[in-house]
Amino acid sequence: MNPLITKLERRDRLSDDERRALQDAIARVREVDARADIVQQGSRPTESCLVLEGFAARYKVTETGKRQITAVHVPGDFVDLHSLLLKVMDHGVLALTPCKVALVPHDALRRITDDHPHLSRLLWLSTLIDGAIHREWLVAMGRLSAVERLAHLICEVFTRLDVIGLTDGTTFRFPLNQVETADALGLSIVHVNRVLQELRGHGLLTWRGEVIAIEDVAALKRFAQFDPTYLHLEREPR
Amino acid sequence: MNPLITKLERRDRLSDDERRALQDAIARVREVDARADIVQQGSRPTESCLVLEGFAARYKVTETGKRQITAVHVPGDFVDLHSLLLKVMDHGVLALTPCKVALVPHDALRRITDDHPHLSRLLWLSTLIDGAIHREWLVAMGRLSAVERLAHLICEVFTRLDVIGLTDGTTFRFPLNQVETADALGLSIVHVNRVLQELRGHGLLTWRGEVIAIEDVAALKRFAQFDPTYLHLEREPR
DNA sequence: CGTCAGATTGAGCAGCTTCAACGTATGTGG
DNA sequence: CCACATACGTTGAAGCTGCTCAATCTGACG
């Protein structure tokens, strides 16, 4: 099943026709190795990439070689849908784990925008949710402490995975290692390690290998000041 | 003249029909006092606000009462266009200066998405540019020093004002005071004041009252690692 | 002339970084 | 099966960046 359809149906109802249009827009499927670039910064894509399986991240590198991860993507996310209109990629996208990616030609997407106004609005919506997540990250970066920020990121990934059925309610695969987590939070690796131990010390979670188990979801959310409103999970006509 | 039309025409060509559709969508114009909320966090707007004159900012307040400004808006920006599809405002918008704001009913916007696919893509584009700016701010927050961050913000506001003809090439109105600048950069007021003096000390700019004069635009951009690609200023078919 | 918002300054301290080393699990070639 | 390499995580010490608290300054305005 196309996980984008699941994602959109979580927010609104799709007609059979719309589901078909989305499915037919996929030209081919590509496998990407872990750590490889899915889309290069500065490129002008002619097709957009939808993550079917695996995890990806958007990132930018500064002139001084520092990396900042600006978004984490899970199955169902259309990682560079915006290249349809922005034309030039102002950032790169990389596979955090091995990924299976659906390629959707811009021609096909443009045809959807011409012929399926409601479906177009839902594609637009998915980019608006990306924007809402960016804003939440900005608040976390600017106004939360390092520990709170880490807890917040974990809550977000947990919630987004829970929505697509990829948790068992407490345990899930966290696709970032400590280096990548540091680049997502704007911290040093060393400090990520220390604040992680702080979360462990409070008995809020365990994190071994790629697996995180949240001991007390409500407590972690409280600690992180996590409010999922910004993920816009309500199902209503859009 | 509607400054949104100017903004969109900077990125693509509009037909007479599209210009008219945009203009006709405006139901009424509202004046907002400086510091007043234009849109409240948590509200469900039935119309979206387009800034005609003045400056605005999006912001969120944390549970502990700290404020983070996530975007600065200039004339031509559609500050809560996304509420058309997100439905619930996940942040507030406030007037930084007295503002004249055009109110566009969601009904009218929805009609545009049904009847004007190309114009809809350009409205979508404007929200994508907001997203691109969010990403650039994330990089600045995570990986630039406080001085660089301040310089970067000044470069961005300068460039965006320059594009709409609101600078004379070096001098422009900077709509944030030091308190608001601190909230936009995720810094304390005291530190904003200190890094500002550093920029002054390097002879990069003067800032008195609401007016900034950049001494050497190229030097400031270099210092801030400012690359305007993320503003997507190219004019091409979208 | 008093008031008020905004800007500025100083001192001391906390949070986070840097550098450098060490630990641990996993894999690989001989 | 061992020697070695590699990736990732962990720890300690020292220092810098930016914060907090508190006071003072400045200009605009009634």
Side-chain angles (χ1 to χ4, degrees):
Chain A
M1 228 311 250
N2 183 329
L4 174 61
I5 293 177
T6 313
K7 174 175 174 175
L8 298 182
E9 291 232 310
R10 169 78 208 222
R11 271 84 178 188
D12 192 3
R13 219 169 286 274
L14 288 183
S15 70
D16 291 344
D17 194 36
E18 289 169 337
R19 270 192 292 272
R20 201 174 320 112
L22 258 187
Q23 200 59 49
D24 291 350
I26 297 175
R28 59 203 175 87
V29 173
R30 200 181 126 207
E31 314 258 345
V32 184
D33 290 340
R35 259 84 204 201
D37 262 357
I38 298 177
V39 194
Q40 239 113 35
Q41 177 162 0
S43 65
R44 294 181 65 96
T46 57
E47 42 193 15
S48 288
C49 301
L50 165 59
V51 177
L52 298 176
E53 287 170 27
F55 296 89
R58 305 192 196 185
Y59 70 97
K60 283 191 169 195
V61 176
T62 66
E63 285 176 17
T64 53
K66 293 176 189 167
R67 182 174 70 165
Q68 176 67 43
I69 289 176
T70 59
V72 170
H73 287 294
V74 303
D77 288 348
F78 223 142
V79 291
D80 63 340
L81 177 52
H82 51 298
S83 69
L84 171 66
L85 298 176
L86 291 179
K87 303 300 179 189
V88 178
M89 286 298 291
D90 54 46
H91 63 272
V93 181
L94 79 113
L96 293 168
T97 66
C99 280
K100 193 184 280 186
V101 171
L103 299 179
V104 183
H106 286 177
D107 291 348
L109 289 169
R110 173 175 292 238
R111 238 171 289 125
I112 288 178
T113 66
D114 284 334
D115 303 338
H116 298 274
H118 176 252
L119 180 55
S120 303
R121 285 198 296 273
L122 294 186
L123 291 178
W124 183 357
L125 171 67
S126 78
T127 64
L128 292 175
I129 294 170
D130 287 346
I133 295 172
H134 289 331
R135 285 190 290 276
E136 190 72 13
W137 282 38
L138 276 170
V139 177
M141 291 282 256
R143 295 303 184 211
L144 296 192
S145 68
V147 216
E148 291 169 325
R149 216 141 88 222
L150 175 60
H152 194 281
L153 175 64
I154 291 168
C155 284
E156 180 183 308
V157 172
F158 170 75
T159 304
R160 290 169 63 192
L161 290 182
D162 200 47
V163 163
I164 56 176
L166 292 183
T167 79
D168 71 355
T170 51
T171 307
F172 62 104
R173 178 169 179 202
F174 189 75
L176 308 173
N177 62 23
Q178 294 188 9
V179 175
E180 292 152 350
T181 302
D183 284 343
L185 299 177
L187 296 171
S188 67
I189 304 163
V190 171
H191 204 60
V192 165
N193 186 275
R194 290 189 170 126
V195 297
L196 167 57
Q197 288 174 55
E198 203 174 327
L199 289 181
R200 283 179 181 141
H202 289 144
L204 289 170
L205 53 82
T206 62
W207 174 355
R208 245 201 318 273
E210 287 202 303
V211 177
I212 289 184
I214 303 179
E215 299 296 325
D216 179 343
V217 174
L220 188 66
K221 288 186 177 176
R222 219 175 310 117
F223 182 88
Q225 302 183 36
F226 181 79
D227 170 357
T229 306
Y230 73 97
L231 295 175
H232 296 275
L233 294 168
E234 301 308 315
R235 191 164 193 225
E236 51 181 310
R238 315 229 184 206
Chain B
M1 229 309 252
N2 183 329
L4 174 61
I5 294 177
T6 313
K7 173 175 175 175
L8 298 183
E9 291 233 313
R10 168 78 209 221
R11 270 85 178 189
D12 193 3
R13 219 170 286 273
L14 288 183
S15 70
D16 292 344
D17 193 36
E18 289 169 337
R19 269 191 292 272
R20 200 173 321 112
L22 259 187
Q23 200 59 47
D24 291 350
I26 298 175
R28 58 202 175 88
V29 173
R30 200 181 127 207
E31 314 257 345
V32 184
D33 291 339
R35 259 85 206 203
D37 262 357
I38 298 176
V39 194
Q40 238 112 36
Q41 176 162 1
S43 65
R44 293 182 65 97
T46 57
E47 43 193 15
S48 288
C49 301
L50 164 60
V51 177
L52 298 175
E53 288 170 26
F55 295 88
R58 304 192 196 185
Y59 70 96
K60 284 191 168 194
V61 176
T62 67
E63 285 177 17
T64 54
K66 294 177 190 166
R67 182 174 70 165
Q68 176 68 43
I69 289 176
T70 60
V72 170
H73 287 294
V74 303
D77 287 348
F78 223 142
V79 292
D80 65 339
L81 177 53
H82 51 296
S83 70
L84 172 66
L85 298 176
L86 291 179
K87 303 300 178 188
V88 178
M89 285 299 291
D90 55 45
H91 63 271
V93 181
L94 80 115
L96 293 169
T97 65
C99 280
K100 194 184 279 185
V101 171
L103 298 179
V104 183
H106 285 177
D107 291 348
L109 289 170
R110 173 175 291 239
R111 240 170 287 125
I112 288 177
T113 67
D114 283 335
D115 302 338
H116 297 274
H118 176 250
L119 181 54
S120 303
R121 285 199 296 272
L122 294 186
L123 290 178
W124 183 357
L125 170 68
S126 79
T127 64
L128 293 175
I129 294 171
D130 287 345
I133 295 173
H134 289 331
R135 285 190 290 276
E136 190 72 12
W137 282 37
L138 276 170
V139 176
M141 290 281 254
R143 294 303 184 210
L144 297 191
S145 69
V147 217
E148 292 170 325
R149 216 141 87 223
L150 175 59
H152 194 282
L153 176 63
I154 291 169
C155 284
E156 179 183 308
V157 173
F158 170 75
T159 305
R160 290 169 63 190
L161 291 182
D162 200 47
V163 162
I164 56 177
L166 291 183
T167 80
D168 70 356
T170 51
T171 306
F172 62 103
R173 178 167 178 205
F174 190 76
L176 308 174
N177 62 23
Q178 294 188 10
V179 175
E180 292 153 350
T181 303
D183 285 343
L185 298 177
L187 296 171
S188 69
I189 304 163
V190 171
H191 203 60
V192 165
N193 187 274
R194 291 192 167 122
V195 297
L196 167 57
Q197 289 174 53
E198 204 175 327
L199 290 182
R200 283 180 182 139
H202 290 145
L204 289 169
L205 54 82
T206 62
W207 175 355
R208 245 201 316 275
E210 287 203 303
V211 177
I212 289 184
I214 303 179
E215 299 296 325
D216 179 344
V217 175
L220 187 65
K221 288 186 177 176
R222 219 176 309 117
F223 182 88
Q225 303 182 36
F226 181 79
D227 170 358
T229 305
Y230 74 97
L231 296 173
H232 296 275
L233 295 168
E234 303 307 316
R235 191 165 192 225
E236 51 181 311
R238 315 226 185 210

